[in-house]
Each structure stands twice: as C-alpha cells, then as structure tokens.
Amino acid sequence: APRLLQAIAADGVVPFLSPFAVTTKKGEPLRALILTGCISEIGILIASLGYIAPIITMFFLMCYCFVNVACCLQTLLKTPNWRPRFRFYNWALSLFAVLLCLTLMFISSWYYALVAIAIAFGLYKYIEYKGAEKEWGDGIRGMAMTAARFALLRLEEGPPHVKNWRPQVLILLKLN
C-alpha cells in the first residue's frame, strides 16, 4: 500500500498527494508508510471488523470495477496499444465484471456503496478540474475520437442525400 500510494503521488495526477511521492535515500516511501500506518492504527483502534470490512470491500470492488471499465473501453475503442493476452478475453466479460462488482457493492452495503461511488466521482471531478493531463490520455477523450473517426468513415460510404447536403461556400476576394 505505501509503494502504491507513492507511485500514484509520483504520477502527479492527484495534486494533493504530492507530499507522499518523496522517498528516502534507499528508495523507501517513508511518508506514505507513515500515512498507511496511521490508517491501519485507526482500524485497530476501532476494534470491530464489522465496521472496517465493508469499507475495505467497497474500495477493492471499486478498484476491480474501474480496471474492468478500462479493459472494456480499451477493447471497444480499438486502442492500438491494447493487446490483452488472456485467451478467452472478450469486452462483454469485462462489462459483466463491472456489473457484478457494482451488484456486489450494493448487495453487501448499499450506503457504503453510495459513499464509495460519491468519493470516486468527486476524485474524478477534482482531477478533471485541476486539469491533470498526462501522456496516456483519458477514456472520455478516446470515446470522442472514436465516435468522430466512425462518423468520418461512414461519410465515405456513399454520396450525401439531398436532404443532408450542406453548401460549402467559398468566397474569393482581392483585398488590395
């Protein structure tokens, strides 16, 4: 967990996590380790697995859900660098896993599921607001590019219908 937190912070996508990107001379993420230890200590002090288990379950299921959403989107968008190696992989399997994760979240604890979804949505909007753009892009822009590509390819299938024709006006002026 500390190394994962340090790696997320080092990416710079979530700006308020940047203090946890620091490592020691030996490469140990000390600040992330301290934060993880404090979170673990809070769990120990609560001393009731009934309160802690649903929270942990929600965030693990959200993690699996988003991984499957990413796999499904990469397949449907036909991203050139997406080459799954699993022999029986299909985008429908990823979509089924997304629905299964969401269903399990609401079956186990619907109010924790709503809180986890709200936190994930809030984090997404925060990242979107801060404008954290990295070289790997995002799925929403990928969907827009794929829709535009699909529409452009469909235009070449035949001549435009009279009702859909748009005039292309070109005016040549001599401005001397």
Side-chain angles (χ1 to χ4, degrees), residues 93-133:
L93 183 64
S94 291
L95 186 62
F96 176 72
V98 168
L99 296 175
L100 189 63
C101 284
L102 290 172
T103 303
L104 286 173
M105 285 173 64
F106 281 99
I107 286 173
S108 63
S109 178
W110 65 270
Y111 45 89
Y112 281 130
L114 290 176
V115 169
I117 289 171
I119 290 171
F121 181 76
L123 187 60
Y124 172 77
K125 284 301 183 183
Y126 174 76
I127 292 169
E128 185 180 60
Y129 171 74
K130 285 294 188 178
E133 291 187 20

Side-chain angles (χ1 to χ4, degrees), residues 19 28 44 82 85 87 105-106 136 140 146 158 163-164 166-167 175:
E28 293 296 323
I44 292 169
W82 172 247
R85 294 182 184 161
R87 197 167 106 193
M105 285 173 64
F106 281 99
W136 53 78
I140 304 298
T146 301
K163 292 180 182 178
N164 297 330
R166 301 282 194 267
L175 296 173

Side-chain angles (χ1 to χ4, degrees), residues 147-160:
R149 180 182 166 272
F150 177 76
L152 288 172
L153 290 173
R154 290 282 312 258
L155 284 176
E156 292 181 352
E157 289 180 1

